[in-house]
């Protein structure tokens, strides 16, 4: 997983401009069902105008995820094995929408 963490760190660094990082950033936390969530602020980034949403993919009670971009935020959630997947899904969005 270190590759995706390095990529997210580089993405953060590329958006830090002396003010962006004081209001925006990346949040990773846990859900009580249990699972992970990832929220990434997109204001003043190349994705700030993107809006999209996936359907909830629920293979089993312990194998599920979804993600969306709405209101200038990426939000992803999934089971306890989906943290890396959610970060890679964000990376794919960035790479598909590079200016």
């Amino acid at each position: 997983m270190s590759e995706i963490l390095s990529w997210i760190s580089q993405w953060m660094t590329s958006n830090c401009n002396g003010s962006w990082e004081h209001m925006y950033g990346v949040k990773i936390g846990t859900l009580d069902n249990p699972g992970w969530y990832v929220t990434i602020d997109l204001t003043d980034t190349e994705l700030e105008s993107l809006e999209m949403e996936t359907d909830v993919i629920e293979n089993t009670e312990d194998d599920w995820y979804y993600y969306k971009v709405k209101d200038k935020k990426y939000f992803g959630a999934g089971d306890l094995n989906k943290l890396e997947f959610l970060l890679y899904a964000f990376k794919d969005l960035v790479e598909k929408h590079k200016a």
Side-chain angles (χ1 to χ4, degrees):
M1 185 166 16
S2 63
E3 177 187 329
I4 192 61
L5 293 179
S6 294
W7 184 88
I8 289 288
S9 295
Q10 290 171 356
W11 184 86
M12 276 290 300
T13 299
S14 72
N15 286 289
C16 291
N17 62 10
S19 60
W20 184 88
E21 62 274 16
H22 293 281
M23 297 179 65
Y24 308 111
V26 174
K27 295 180 181 115
I28 297 173
T30 56
L31 301 169
D32 63 359
N33 56 344
W36 292 102
Y37 75 85
V38 176
T39 303
I40 303 174
D41 292 299
L42 302 175
T43 301
D44 296 331
T45 74
E46 58 195 11
L47 292 179
E48 75 176 343
S49 62
L50 179 66
E51 296 245 343
M52 60 78 59
E53 187 166 356
T54 62
D55 291 329
V56 175
I57 305 300
E58 189 167 7
N59 298 314
T60 67
E61 191 174 298
D62 297 323
D63 181 6
W64 62 275
Y65 71 89
Y66 83 99
Y67 57 91
K68 65 182 177 181
V69 178
K70 187 172 180 169
D71 299 327
K72 300 182 182 184
K73 288 188 181 197
Y74 169 87
F75 178 79
D79 65 69
L80 287 174
N81 294 308
K82 296 294 188 298
L83 178 57
E84 186 174 9
F85 172 85
L86 296 169
L87 295 173
Y88 272 110
F90 176 69
K91 179 180 187 246
D92 288 345
L93 285 173
V94 170
E95 290 176 349
K96 287 179 186 173
H97 294 90
K98 283 195 178 200

